[in-house]
Amino acid sequence: MNKMGTIISFTFKNKVRTKSFLITTLILILLISIGMNIPYFIKVFQGDDGAKNTQIGVVAEQGNRAAELLLAYAPPAAADADEDTDTVAFTAFASADDAALKQGLDDDKIEGYLTFDAKGSEGVPPVTYHSKDGELDKDLKTYLQGALQQINTQLIAGDKLTQEQVAAMFAPVSIGTQQLSTDGKDGAATDESKPAINYVIVYVLLILFFMSITMTGNMISAEVTSEKSSRIMEILITSASPLTQMFGKVIGIFLVGLMQIAIISGSIAVNLMLPHNASILTDFDLDLGQLNYGILVYGFILYVLGYFLYALMYAAVGSIVSRTEDLGQALMPVMMCTFVAFYIPLFSISAPDTMLIKVASFVPITSPLSMVLRIGVGEVAFWEIAVSLVILLATTFGLGWLAAKIYRTGVLMYGKRPSIKEIRKAMKAYKI
């Protein structure tokens, strides 16, 4: 056990100090930080930091009812409005030659002003917008049209409707959704779509698990093959048994993968805590209170079992290859299994209850990621999770026994890559 701890410690310290690990982790942190701060960078470079208050002048004669209503206009409050929402303010001026109006236009404090034509029909008379460049911003035009349309309705309706009733007429109507059950009736509450935060967490876990298993698996196989090609393995065998070496490397690199995931998760948390990113979850309608924490618990268990399942395969393949040049070709079957396990749930994230995902969640090579998808955004019973974990655990132990036999015989087999028949013959000579 002391030798196992020494190998785990040496493997961990050796890998976290390599340039490849440090550079890869740094690049991932930079990409995540840049991606999460892109909206803020856009605001800074466009000079659009914070809410914009647009001042619009209103030039009209005393007693102009449309102008009075416009000056008192208050838009309907949006459900997702916050302190950074742009606002428009109206200011009354006696004429277009008003000194304060001209000064405001020269200082760019006033964007432009509105004038009303002589009233020729019921409602709001024709309105003209005046500005230095003669153009009207698209968003401002939409705002002014909404305000004038509401005022037009109030002028025509007269005293029959209050200002609040008129505002309610123009307030947007929300539309909800409900899924129908197979018999054509309204589904129960359990048929409602999962919270958006669960989809985000599942998507992030799929990517993290795939990257971690792929990177750490390649580390294990490359480590074993390089020791064989340099003949260091012959010296190591005299100090520790092949099984101790294999499991020591697997566990040591497992800790490396966990540390990398922790660093990436920490960088995401730090970016979310930055002042300008305080509202990022609200902007994307993400509520941590709706998070299904079972995703994180079961996700960790599935990651651990899935890691050891694939790590043992990578170690076994690495032990039968004598040259690093042949490693890529030998690892191709294992890498294909990894890609299948990743892409099946990734492309099924919008339909997590299909038969393909249900079957994949019980197949050991695909169950770690497919079951994470079902737990996060699908419908899955507890017994299904338990059965999937038992099958995955049994397969991991069985593969561990097989990998140990392959590793013990393969580490001292040099020359061309042995065939399956040769490996089986060599395995029969050893008892584990």
Side-chain angles (χ1 to χ4, degrees):
M1 195 66 183
N2 186 33
K3 293 180 180 180
M4 174 78 76
T6 302
I7 295 175
I8 293 173
S9 176
F10 174 80
T11 303
F12 175 78
K13 293 178 181 178
N14 185 47
K15 288 301 177 183
V16 296
R17 293 172 182 171
T18 58
K19 291 183 179 179
S20 59
F21 175 81
L22 296 175
I23 293 175
T24 302
T25 306
L26 181 60
I27 290 175
L28 289 174
I29 293 174
L30 288 176
L31 290 176
I32 291 171
S33 300
I34 292 173
M36 295 183 66
N37 289 278
I38 281 179
Y40 173 72
F41 293 148
I42 293 175
K43 285 185 177 182
V44 170
F45 287 118
Q46 290 182 346
D48 186 24
D49 191 9
K52 180 181 178 182
N53 184 20
T54 304
Q55 294 287 336
I56 301 296
V58 178
V59 176
E61 298 177 355
Q62 189 73 19
N64 187 311
R65 182 60 178 161
E68 292 176 356
L69 291 174
L70 183 60
L71 292 170
Y73 171 75
D80 57 350
D82 54 29
E83 58 183 8
D84 291 333
T85 303
D86 294 344
T87 58
V88 177
F90 297 102
T91 306
F93 295 97
S95 68
D97 297 325
D98 190 291
L101 175 59
K102 290 184 176 181
Q103 185 65 38
L105 291 170
D106 292 338
D107 296 341
D108 291 330
K109 293 181 179 180
I110 298 177
E111 198 77 18
Y113 64 90
L114 300 172
T115 58
F116 295 85
D117 293 352
K119 186 175 182 180
S121 60
E122 190 176 10
V124 177
V127 179
T128 304
Y129 177 76
H130 305 266
S131 63
K132 290 193 294 185
D133 56 7
E135 297 179 356
L136 179 58
D137 180 74
K138 180 181 177 181
D139 294 335
L140 180 59
K141 182 178 181 180
T142 302
Y143 181 91
L144 293 176
Q145 285 177 335
L148 293 171
Q149 184 63 41
Q150 182 172 323
I151 292 168
N152 187 57
T153 303
Q154 194 165 354
L155 287 174
I156 295 174
D159 297 333
K160 297 178 182 179
L161 296 175
T162 64
Q163 188 172 357
E164 290 76 13
Q165 290 174 324
V166 174
M169 290 174 59
F170 290 92
V173 179
S174 61
I175 301 177
T177 59
Q178 188 173 23
Q179 184 179 357
L180 292 175
S181 59
T182 55
D183 58 0
K185 298 180 181 179
D186 287 343
T190 56
D191 291 330
E192 296 178 358
S193 59
K194 299 290 183 178
I197 186 67
N198 287 352
Y199 285 90
V200 173
I201 295 298
V202 167
Y203 192 79
V204 171
L205 289 180
L206 291 179
I207 294 176
L208 282 178
F209 289 4
F210 171 73
M211 291 179 59
S212 177
I213 290 174
T214 303
M215 293 173 62
T216 54
N218 280 283
M219 283 184 189
I220 294 170
S221 57
E223 178 83 3
V224 176
T225 303
S226 63
E227 289 177 356
K228 278 190 63 177
S229 62
S230 62
R231 300 281 180 166
I232 296 177
M233 183 63 69
E234 298 176 1
I235 301 174
L236 295 176
I237 289 293
T238 61
S239 302
S241 68
L243 296 186
T244 302
Q245 290 184 46
M246 184 185 76
F247 286 107
K249 293 179 189 298
V250 169
I251 296 173
I253 294 180
F254 167 69
L255 297 177
V256 173
L258 275 185
M259 189 181 75
Q260 191 172 48
I261 291 178
I263 292 173
I264 293 173
S265 302
S267 67
I268 295 174
V270 169
N271 279 282
L272 287 175
M273 293 172 61
L274 294 176
H276 56 268
N277 285 336
S279 62
I280 190 170
L281 294 178
T282 305
D283 293 341
F284 288 97
D285 195 24
L286 301 176
D287 184 7
L288 289 176
Q290 297 177 329
L291 174 63
N292 177 11
Y293 289 96
I295 307 175
L296 303 179
V297 177
Y298 286 117
F300 178 75
I301 297 173
L302 289 165
Y303 167 73
V304 173
L305 295 177
Y307 166 81
F308 280 100
L309 180 73
Y310 279 96
L312 292 170
M313 286 193 286
Y314 277 100
V317 173
S319 67
I320 63 176
V321 178
S322 300
R323 299 188 307 169
T324 54
E325 295 84 355
D326 300 331
L327 184 60
Q329 184 179 359
L331 286 176
M332 189 59 65
V334 182
M335 294 182 68
M336 291 300 295
C337 293
T338 310
F339 286 127
V340 170
F342 173 65
Y343 283 115
I344 286 179
L346 183 68
F347 290 132
S348 303
I349 197 167
S350 59
D353 296 318
T354 59
M355 183 58 66
L356 174 63
I357 291 296
K358 290 181 179 179
V359 172
S361 64
F362 293 101
V363 178
I365 63 170
T366 57
S367 62
L369 298 184
S370 295
M371 186 54 76
V372 166
L373 175 65
R374 292 189 64 191
I375 294 172
V377 296
E379 298 296 333
V380 58
F382 175 76
W383 70 266
E384 293 179 290
I385 300 175
V387 170
S388 177
L389 289 175
V390 169
I391 294 174
L392 181 58
L393 184 62
T395 305
T396 303
F397 274 107
L399 188 61
W401 173 83
L402 180 61
K405 298 198 73 170
I406 295 175
Y407 190 93
R408 183 171 182 175
T409 58
V411 289
L412 293 178
M413 295 177 68
Y414 292 93
K416 68 179 184 67
R417 192 168 72 245
S419 64
I420 296 178
K421 184 178 180 180
E422 292 172 336
I423 294 174
R424 289 179 59 186
K425 184 178 179 180
M427 286 168 57
K428 290 180 180 179
Y430 294 94
K431 300 289 184 180
I432 297 181

